[in-house]
Amino acid sequence: MSIEYLGLSSINGPLVVLEGVKGAAYDEIVEMTVNGKERRLGRIIEINGDKAVIQVFEGTDGMALRNTHTKLTGKPMEIGVSEAMFGRTFNGIGEPIDGLGSVEAEKTIDVNGKPLNPVTREYPRNYIRTGISAIDGLMTLIRGQKLPIFSGNGLPHDELAAQLVRQSSLGDSNNDDEKFAVVFAAMGVKHDVADFFQRTFAESGVSDHVITFINLANDPVVERLITPKVALTVAEYLAFEKGMHILVILTDMTSFAEAMREVSSSKGEIPSRKGFPGYLYSELATIYERAGIVKGVNGSVTQIPILTMPNDDITHPIPDLTGYITEGQIVLDRDLNGQSIYPPISVLPSLSRLMKDGIGEGFTRADHQDVANQLFSSYSKVGDARALASVIGEDELSDTDKQYLIFGRAFEQMFIGQSVNDNRTIFDTLEIGWKLLGLMPRGELDRIDTKVLDQYYKPTVLDANGDIVPAAVED
């Protein structure tokens, strides 16, 4: 028989304190009834003697010390999961908000998840094709990897997220038996952004393999803390029990961290860097580490968390700690965006640490690593040539440096830059890479094996329209 408690002892922001509690447990879910009719859910986040501090998911608006009844459920936050969730839209705590009614659950699972046994983890192999050359060619996403996107306010990370949902697949030579799906979770987004995501998924016809969770900017801040856990719980069920390969896109992790800071402040905790709680690292790690592959199971969970860096500061605690936990990063660049290059991916500070083990022969193509190495190397020299040209003028540069400037402009326009609807295969990406490398003298291509050069290298030039064409062969 469950005990119902009448009244509260205090209310502070999204937190309430209940006194005289017996048998309560940390992380336990409580059901609260306001004014005898409105039901809300809360979670116990602190116990001190007979006092319990409760986070109220729907917020404390309208709650008073005497009009609230509280009942302990004796279980943690759970979500009902099912394959029938595909094509549906839910709020931050997993309740349907698309007007299509409830989903019949096949199973109910604790949203906090269970830590993956490190011994049962399998090393990530095989790549996920995004159709975006800068990612597929130079910082390849591997199944089971966590690869964040570091963006800034005003940069097109929402468009990039939508494109990733639309275009991502298991690659060009994929076995049809392997099922791929996307779990998309948005935290603290404005109504117009939420509408953009839902409209884009519906119009592009990908909704049948996408599950969407949306926490709006005016939704309770506490709900934001649960959203990524709910999304990952659904992803783990589909991956490890249904054998599917799931890509989880989380945007914006900065909203999640700021919600944590707000709740921490309400609890009166001593702040750490920039006012964030000292456990920000461990909290981010519990989310990011839920990506991976389990031995003996066909499925995988791959994560692309997106975060906006306050003031474009990559040393800010959120991107800084994220970089320690994840396996690389994709950095968006304001200068490229100012030149109308989409997606504005800054190649040099971006990398995928697991890329080398999921590309090459048997995965993409044998020359993939060579092409990536040479494009990185050549593009790094473009910066030197531009710096020199800004001092002595472009006319005074050597022929080789002038060629690097031509290569740099073409690389940004044709390899990094592509349209929002341009879904390139890995072979398209590599062919564009070889055409760009053809602009450089063969002697400058020092990162590619001679046999590979003999097979693929063909000198190219830019024509009057700015297109890359084969160079005229001299007699």
Side-chain angles (χ1 to χ4, degrees):
M1 177 182 169
S2 61
I3 302 174
E4 194 166 305
Y5 299 88
L6 306 181
L8 302 166
S9 60
S10 70
I11 299 173
N12 181 16
L15 307 180
V16 299
V17 178
L18 187 64
E19 288 188 2
V21 178
K22 293 180 181 176
Y26 179 77
D27 243 5
E28 183 176 349
I29 291 297
V30 301
E31 293 177 355
M32 311 179 92
T33 307
V34 183
N35 286 326
K37 51 188 177 183
E38 187 189 349
R39 283 184 70 254
R40 299 187 192 182
L41 288 180
R43 179 178 64 156
I44 297 177
I45 58 170
E46 193 177 314
I47 298 172
N48 190 355
D50 69 341
K51 289 183 181 178
V53 180
I54 301 168
Q55 265 181 355
V56 185
F57 291 129
E58 293 90 345
T60 56
D61 290 352
M63 292 177 72
L65 299 183
R66 300 189 178 204
N67 72 350
T68 305
H69 293 194
T70 307
K71 185 169 74 175
L72 306 186
T73 64
K75 56 188 180 184
M77 177 75 180
E78 294 178 328
I79 181 173
V81 294
S82 163
E83 287 187 77
M85 297 174 83
F86 284 115
R88 299 293 303 275
T89 303
F90 304 86
N91 68 7
I93 54 175
E95 297 169 340
I97 54 171
D98 51 11
L100 298 177
S102 59
V103 175
E104 189 174 335
E106 296 171 11
K107 192 174 183 180
T108 304
I109 306 177
D110 178 359
V111 301
N112 297 297
K114 294 177 182 174
L116 276 183
N117 183 343
V119 177
T120 66
R121 278 187 182 270
E122 203 163 275
Y123 195 86
R125 302 276 183 197
N126 293 303
Y127 78 113
I128 289 176
R129 178 168 75 80
T130 65
I132 297 167
S133 288
I135 297 175
D136 292 347
L138 302 177
M139 51 215 74
T140 314
L141 178 65
I142 306 299
R143 292 184 210 172
Q145 182 178 12
K146 39 199 180 288
L147 186 65
I149 294 175
F150 291 176
S151 182
N153 289 317
L155 294 180
H157 49 269
D158 291 331
E159 290 84 347
L160 183 56
Q163 188 172 1
L164 289 169
V165 172
R166 287 199 316 271
Q167 296 184 178
S168 295
S169 68
L170 292 179
D172 304 294
S173 56
N174 173 46
N175 179 349
D176 289 338
D177 294 338
E178 296 184 302
K179 293 181 182 174
F180 177 78
V182 178
V183 174
F184 179 82
M187 293 158 276
V189 296
K190 296 175 183 173
H191 283 269
D192 58 338
V193 175
D195 290 342
F196 162 73
F197 284 132
Q198 291 174 281
R199 189 176 65 252
T200 303
F201 301 162
E203 288 174 358
S204 58
V206 297
S207 295
D208 60 338
H209 73 270
V210 178
I211 300 173
T212 307
F213 295 90
I214 293 182
N215 165 263
L216 294 164
N218 62 340
D219 283 340
V221 71
V222 177
E223 189 180 290
R224 221 157 287 164
L225 299 177
I226 289 290
T227 306
K229 295 180 179 180
V230 167
L232 285 162
T233 301
V234 175
E236 287 169 343
Y237 169 74
L238 295 171
F240 304 138
E241 298 197 26
K242 296 296 181 180
M244 301 176 74
H245 296 284
I246 306 296
L247 174 62
V248 182
I249 298 176
L250 305 171
T251 181
D252 171 357
M253 290 305 292
T254 301
S255 293
F256 168 83
E258 286 173 347
M260 195 188 304
R261 177 169 62 182
E262 191 173 322
V263 172
S264 171
S265 175
S266 299
K267 287 164 68 179
E269 294 174 340
I270 297 170
S272 183
R273 288 168 64 193
K274 304 259 186 197
F276 291 97
Y279 49 83
L280 175 63
Y281 179 89
S282 58
E283 199 66 30
L284 288 173
T286 58
I287 291 171
Y288 297 148
E289 292 297 346
R290 290 175 75 171
I293 305 173
V294 177
K295 279 182 187 170
V297 177
N298 288 329
S300 65
V301 176
T302 309
Q303 271 190 48
I304 299 184
I306 300 173
L307 55 94
T308 49
M309 301 178 288
N311 300 319
D312 292 356
D313 179 11
I314 203 167
T315 65
H316 186 277
I318 305 169
D320 189 33
L321 296 178
T322 295
Y324 279 115
I325 304 164
T326 53
E327 295 124 2
Q329 70 272 339
I330 297 167
V331 182
L332 301 191
D333 183 77
R334 202 167 288 282
D335 289 340
L336 288 176
N337 188 56
Q339 298 170 43
S340 299
I341 291 172
Y342 173 87
I345 293 173
S346 183
V347 166
L348 298 180
S350 302
L351 82 156
S352 166
R353 294 192 182 96
L354 301 185
M355 168 178 170
K356 63 185 186 302
D357 298 305
I359 63 170
E361 200 163 356
F363 298 109
T364 53
R365 204 168 77 179
D367 58 318
H368 188 161
Q369 188 70 66
D370 284 335
V371 172
N373 290 348
Q374 189 60 63
L375 287 172
F376 266 118
S377 175
S378 299
Y379 191 56
S380 69
K381 293 175 184 174
V382 170
D384 298 336
R386 285 174 175 169
L388 189 59
S390 68
V391 177
I392 66 172
E394 199 169 318
D395 291 339
E396 300 299 319
L397 294 177
S398 67
D399 289 342
T400 301
D401 282 340
K402 287 177 182 174
Q403 209 57 37
Y404 272 114
L405 292 183
I406 293 170
F407 167 82
R409 284 191 288 268
F411 177 77
E412 289 167 353
Q413 295 289 341
M414 300 176 194
F415 192 88
I416 297 176
Q418 59 185 91
S419 79
V420 169
N421 299 310
D422 190 0
N423 188 357
R424 297 175 181 171
T425 67
I426 192 68
F427 307 111
D428 292 338
T429 292
L430 293 174
E431 287 310 311
I432 294 168
W434 277 113
K435 285 180 181 178
L436 288 162
L437 293 175
L439 293 170
M440 301 304 302
R442 178 166 172 152
E444 290 292 313
L445 308 183
D446 52 4
R447 297 300 180 99
I448 301 181
D449 186 85
T450 310
K451 291 178 183 174
V452 178
L453 275 177
D454 290 341
Q455 183 177 356
Y456 292 103
Y457 178 77
K458 294 181 180 67
T460 56
V461 293
L462 289 178
D463 66 11
N465 298 320
D467 297 323
I468 300 178
V469 296
V473 180
E474 296 180 5
D475 293 328

